[in-house]
Amino acid sequence: MSHTHRRDGHGRRRGGPDQARGRPRGVWGAALALACAAALTACGPDGGDADAAGAASDAPTSPAATPTGTGTPAEPAPSSPPPTSAAPSASAKPGGIARCETDGLALSLVANGQEMNSKYFDLRLTNTGSEPCDLLGHPGVSLLDAGGKRVGEPATRSQDGTGDGGAVRLRPGQAAHATVKTAGEGVTDGRCWPEAATLLVYPPGSRQTVTTGDLAGLKVCGDSFQVGPVGDRAP
């Protein structure tokens, strides 16, 4: 009994220091495990510093440029082209002189004699405005009866008169001249249009008209009614 007691006591004496030593070993092991776990969360996959990695991830980044299909930087969209200038007025003419408008023209008709089988009249368009203006080409000429209905057909174009096809520049008070021609009544066996009351004229290039009630004895016969281009002098 005493022998067993001594062995147990000896055993207790041996076990005491082991247990004393084992307790610190267990505490340190737990501390080491916690330290390793903290180290794994604090360290990057390559062992970099966590604070540095966090700072780098928090740093603002500049937006990346979007490449175009050709790999070159996108060009800014071109601005809209400047508006083009407005189309010139129908009355504009080379040299900055306007076409004569109907509100600045006066119409008159003057008998200009008879030659061979034709009778001639001088159609005049006078500039009543305060600025020079141009006329170019043939006027449009028609006859109207007292009720405003057209008599016969409009005059056809001829090359009679002094006009050469060029523009006629009229200073204030000046007139352009166009020759009106018809057949003489005596050579047509009296085949003439009914008597007209008004001469209606479209100045060259215009859609407005000027009129006069003084026909200077004009009577169209033989269905012959012609007008020439404007010129700068009477025929």
Side-chain angles (χ1 to χ4, degrees), residues 66-68 72-76:
T66 303
T68 63
T72 57
E75 294 292 336

Side-chain angles (χ1 to χ4, degrees), residues 30 40 45 134 162:
L40 289 174
D134 285 355
T162 62

Side-chain angles (χ1 to χ4, degrees), residues 99-211:
R99 186 189 67 210
C100 298
E101 301 290 352
T102 54
D103 59 359
L105 291 172
L107 171 65
S108 59
L109 189 68
V110 178
N112 202 34
Q114 182 171 342
E115 181 180 298
M116 302 294 291
N117 297 325
S118 299
K119 295 183 70 173
Y120 294 89
F121 298 83
D122 179 20
L123 186 157
R124 300 176 181 177
L125 292 168
T126 302
N127 180 6
T128 60
S130 59
E131 299 292 335
C133 60
D134 285 355
L135 288 176
L136 173 65
H138 290 73
V141 181
S142 293
L143 296 172
L144 305 177
D145 64 16
K149 184 178 179 180
R150 192 176 70 194
V151 175
E153 298 296 329
T156 59
R157 293 181 177 184
S158 73
Q159 294 304 316
D160 294 317
T162 62
D164 58 3
V168 178
R169 181 156 298 173
L170 303 179
R171 293 192 297 273
Q174 285 188 321
H177 303 265
T179 297
V180 174
K181 182 174 72 172
T182 186
E185 184 176 357
V187 300
T188 62
D189 297 328
R191 293 181 291 106
C192 301
W193 293 352
E195 185 175 352
T198 303
L199 178 70
L200 179 145
V201 173
Y202 289 89
S206 177
R207 295 186 178 184
Q208 304 298 320
T209 62
V210 288
T211 60

